Amino acid sequence: MTEQPAAPYLDAVIGYGTRGPGRFHVPGHKGGQGADPGLRFGLGDRALWLDIPQDIWGVDLGPSPTPYEEAERLAAEAHGAARTWFLTNGATQGNHALCLALAPLGTQVVAQRNSHASLVDGLVLSGGVPAFVPPAYDAELGMAHGVEPGALRDALAAAPDARAAFIVSPTYYGMAADVAACAEVAHAAGVPLIVDQSWGPHFGFHEALPPSGLSQGADAVLTSTHKIAGSLTQSAMLHVGHGDRVDPAAVARAIRLVRSTSPSSLLLASLDGARRQMALHGEQLLHETLEAIEACRAKLATIPCLALVDSSFVGRPGIAGYDPLRIVVDVRETGRTGYEVAEALRRSYDVIPELATQATIVFLVGLAERRETLLRLAGDLEEVVKRIAVAGSIAPIVRPPATLRNEMAVAPRAAFLGENEEVGVDDAVGRVSCESIAGYPPGIPALLPGERISAETVVYLRELVSSGARLHGASDPRFERVHVLVED
């Protein structure tokens, strides 16, 4: 890898934004002078100076490689990719593009059942048809892990016409799948392996972390740089590996279709800066952060009624590695749900976790998190537990959704775009869903567009609602009514 001290796109945007050019182009605030005073105060004039459009000479126009082209090339090099694209609509944009490139109209793919909703949305756009592989599942914690290689092998054998396999690693909880083994399985079946590594943009930059998907044989990987690696919200990257199973030209064509013609220079510049920081200082920043996390974990381990979900889980089904930048706390022995503990933290200390479930709370740690901040978190959690804990233990979450087997009656595209009507859920049994509904926890879709609604699914979703889970994607969060396809 060549040296990476430059951030060519970031530097070019700063150069243009601060030299006082005649801004007779969009955006209309003209570097801030036309912006609302409150916005100017909140963002500062510097940010508004740097808010520039595409097609500025010396930034993304001019002799090749332009600063923008060089920024993406450096990102590819840093991540071990053959080609990298900056995304300004998050990893969502990458999933949409990959579906358009790899799952065109009528073709089949195998996908992890709890893939991000944007993957199903991408299939709606492309017209591809999914066959699902369930993740490993911890019924007591209500926690989905990665896909087991054997499960992927079975799913591919059952879908011999599949064009690609999509898996998720790491999970929301920081659990990494055996990507290397899954890549072997996919390649033996003659298909590329696509890894949604959105929660692991820092993988590969420190030996204490799981390796990156590309280094384990994945053919394309999504990384949500903004989640942990320091770029601005909504910015991400899509990486294609050096093999020939994914055509970069096809991906580039699809990205042009789903990319705004007015991408935010602030988001793009933040990706360039985040790449530079990870390439130059990521290992040391992660080292310091990991030391701070260990101090926090040591404190949490002394608190009665709490247990840590951590590297001790490695080796269980679907778990080949663990990301320590997720502090996952099992709160069941407090006699309170994760929702209740999280609400007490918010009300008493203004502490906002990444995720609360019936059994756990997930705290997301970013680069350069300070030791004192994490120790304060442990102290705040200790005080909350002392105050609200009660005798008893929270019962395990409702039965695992892997027991649900829905028939894919029509392609997601046909269900989503077809004529639909809203009916009571009892009247929806036997009808085709037009909605994508996943309960959090456990985050595994119980119903997807194109699937026939069973009585079992209705019972399951009602159980989730009564347990306090929220239904992501449901038009009616109370799950009293649902949109179904009007069939002839």
Side-chain angles (χ1 to χ4, degrees):
M1 186 171 75
T2 59
E3 299 298 321
Q4 296 217 351
Y9 181 80
L10 173 61
D11 292 343
V13 169
I14 291 173
Y16 181 82
T18 59
R19 72 174 184 247
R23 294 176 182 254
F24 298 101
H25 54 67
V26 298
H29 63 69
K30 305 294 184 174
Q33 68 185 28
D36 175 77
L39 183 66
R40 294 185 68 173
F41 176 81
L43 295 185
D45 283 341
R46 290 185 180 182
L48 295 168
W49 292 345
L50 307 187
D51 184 23
I52 66 173
Q54 270 192 321
D55 299 337
I56 295 295
W57 186 267
V59 180
D60 44 26
L61 287 182
S64 185
T66 63
Y68 182 80
E69 292 170 340
E70 181 65 5
E72 287 193 333
R73 186 196 70 78
L74 287 169
E77 189 174 79
H79 287 269
R83 179 77 188 274
T84 289
W85 291 266
F86 287 175
L87 308 175
T88 56
N89 195 29
T92 290
Q93 181 183 351
N95 267 329
H96 292 172
L98 287 167
C99 287
L100 288 164
L102 300 174
L105 191 65
T107 60
Q108 191 174 47
V109 296
V110 168
Q112 186 167 328
R113 178 74 193 188
N114 62 324
S115 294
H116 192 266
S118 60
L119 181 67
V120 176
D121 295 343
L123 294 173
V124 168
L125 293 173
S126 75
V129 181
F132 292 108
V133 53
Y137 183 71
D138 184 320
E140 289 195 354
L141 290 172
M143 185 181 293
H145 300 315
V147 164
E148 285 277 88
L152 181 60
R153 183 180 298 108
D154 292 344
L156 286 167
D161 295 329
R163 297 271 192 97
F166 292 79
I167 67 169
V168 178
S169 181
T171 67
Y172 213 151
Y173 304 93
M175 304 301 179
D178 189 346
V179 174
C182 287
E184 289 183 9
V185 167
H187 297 163
V191 302
L193 181 73
I194 314 303
V195 178
D196 185 342
Q197 191 183 298
S198 294
W199 288 101
H202 51 308
F203 284 12
F205 290 95
H206 194 285
E207 61 181 9
L209 303 177
S212 69
L214 287 179
S215 72
Q216 296 179 87
D219 300 288
V221 166
L222 284 164
T223 55
S224 285
T225 315
H226 73 93
K227 283 183 165 61
I228 293 176
S231 64
L232 295 180
T233 295
Q234 203 172 307
S235 59
M237 298 186 194
L238 169 56
H239 315 281
V240 169
H242 288 277
D244 58 0
R245 295 182 182 89
V246 174
D247 180 8
V251 175
R253 180 170 175 263
I255 284 178
R256 286 195 294 272
L257 184 65
V258 296
R259 171 178 278 173
S260 169
T261 56
S262 303
S264 168
S265 59
L266 298 177
L267 298 183
L268 296 171
S270 77
L271 286 169
D272 196 21
R275 182 274 315 159
R276 175 172 62 181
Q277 177 168 258
M278 288 299 295
L280 295 183
H281 308 299
E283 184 176 18
Q284 182 58 32
L285 289 170
L286 286 166
H287 176 75
E288 294 168 1
T289 302
L290 290 170
E291 286 187 335
I293 290 170
E294 282 308 306
C296 178
R297 289 185 191 279
K299 172 65 175 175
L300 290 171
T302 68
I303 302 174
C305 306
L306 298 183
L308 291 171
V309 178
D310 54 21
S311 58
S312 64
F313 277 54
V314 174
R316 297 187 184 188
I319 305 176
Y322 174 68
D323 177 15
L325 270 73
R326 238 64 53 87
I327 300 176
V328 185
V329 183
D330 176 357
V331 301
R332 287 176 295 162
E333 294 304 315
T334 65
R336 301 289 191 177
T337 67
Y339 308 115
E340 292 172 309
V341 177
E343 177 62 11
L345 275 172
R346 184 192 67 80
R347 292 173 65 90
S348 296
Y349 299 105
D350 202 21
V351 169
I352 315 299
E354 173 63 31
L355 174 70
T357 74
Q358 180 173 344
T360 64
I361 303 180
V362 180
F363 301 96
L364 182 68
V365 181
L367 283 182
E369 198 83 67
R370 295 181 300 169
R371 177 188 177 97
E372 55 267 33
T373 300
L374 293 176
L375 287 176
R376 185 183 306 122
L377 167 64
D380 293 344
L381 190 53
E382 181 178 33
E383 291 303 313
V384 162
V385 169
K386 286 179 181 177
R387 189 173 73 251
I388 72 170
V390 295
S393 176
I394 292 296
I397 198 166
V398 293
R399 57 189 168 80
T403 62
L404 300 176
R405 292 290 185 269
N406 296 330
E407 172 198 354
M408 181 61 72
V410 302
R413 178 183 179 88
F416 187 87
L417 298 179
E419 183 182 358
N420 69 87
E421 61 179 340
E422 187 183 48
V423 300
V425 293
D426 290 321
D427 296 326
V429 173
R431 303 285 296 274
V432 174
S433 172
C434 295
E435 298 190 29
S436 177
I437 304 177
Y440 281 84
I444 301 175
L447 200 57
L448 292 167
E451 290 187 334
R452 199 170 297 282
I453 302 171
S454 68
E456 183 186 26
T457 300
V458 170
V459 170
Y460 171 67
L461 286 169
R462 280 176 167 158
E463 287 177 352
L464 285 178
V465 172
S466 64
S467 74
R470 62 183 177 89
L471 297 186
H472 178 77
S475 60
D476 179 5
R478 298 169 299 176
F479 195 59
E480 295 175 355
R481 301 184 68 79
V482 65
H483 285 87
V484 297
L485 188 65
V486 175
E487 299 179 81
D488 295 332

